[in-house]
Amino acid sequence: MKKLLVYGVFLLFAGIQSGQSQTVTGKWKTFDDETGAAKSIVEIYEKNDKIYGRVLEILEKGKEDKICEKCKGAKKDKPIKGLVIIEGLTKDGDTWEDGTILDPKNGKEYKCHITLESANKLKVRGYIGVSLLGRTQYWTRVDK
């Protein structure tokens, strides 16, 4: 009976540990809002306790070498592949926030927050001013 209790407690802590180890970092597939077609692979990574995301691959045929014509500053006319589009998100509970996300299609930067909905589903919200004025996308994790 004692062994069963010890084993049960071990499984409980193992389950809690695996739930806590889920992270927003990794490779994520993005989708076009209008068509639902897969658009790109974005790698989300942590640097100095902040979250960043860069475009690893463009999945849309014929757009693999596209540049960010409408971007401003140092990102203007840079290839979208390799471009850092998520910058400076900080952790607040289950959400990463207070950073920005770039839409390479229109060159605009928006405030951003991301939340891990499940191990393989990421909620990405870009907005202007307050979160009510924005758009949400759901990205899916790409297997390693």
Side-chain angles (χ1 to χ4, degrees):
M1 186 63 146
K2 264 188 172 180
K3 285 184 181 181
L4 185 59
L5 181 62
V6 170
Y7 184 67
V9 170
F10 172 77
L11 286 177
L12 176 68
F13 283 111
I16 291 171
Q17 198 65 1
S18 69
Q20 290 175 343
S21 66
Q22 292 180 355
T23 176
V24 299
T25 59
K27 295 177 185 173
W28 297 89
K29 187 181 290 186
T30 71
F31 300 90
D32 186 278
D33 288 335
E34 295 167 9
T35 67
K39 196 171 182 180
S40 66
I41 304 294
V42 173
E43 178 185 32
I44 296 181
Y45 59 96
E46 192 170 349
K47 179 179 171 186
N48 299 326
D49 295 325
K50 293 190 178 198
I51 290 292
Y52 297 84
R54 80 173 132 250
V55 178
L56 282 185
E57 187 178 347
I58 297 174
L59 302 174
E60 295 176 285
K61 297 294 179 210
K63 296 186 179 182
E64 299 89 351
D65 297 321
K66 193 161 174 64
I67 62 170
C68 196
E69 297 170 353
K70 295 183 180 181
C71 289
K72 294 178 177 43
K75 294 179 181 178
K76 182 163 180 58
D77 296 327
K78 298 291 184 198
I80 294 174
K81 184 177 179 181
L83 197 63
V84 175
I85 61 167
I86 296 174
E87 295 189 71
L89 300 177
T90 55
K91 190 162 179 63
D92 184 11
D94 291 336
T95 302
W96 290 87
E97 59 188 20
D98 296 328
T100 60
I101 188 167
L102 170 71
D103 182 348
K105 190 174 184 178
N106 64 21
K108 293 182 181 177
E109 278 193 356
Y110 301 94
K111 291 182 179 180
C112 176
H113 63 78
I114 61 176
T115 307
L116 195 61
E117 293 277 302
S118 68
N120 296 314
K121 186 176 182 183
L122 185 68
K123 179 181 179 182
V124 181
R125 179 121 181 114
Y127 57 96
I128 300 170
V130 293
S131 185
L132 290 173
L133 303 174
R135 158 177 117 209
T136 299
Q137 290 186 336
Y138 291 92
W139 297 358
T140 58
R141 191 179 297 275
V142 176
D143 292 333
K144 296 178 181 184

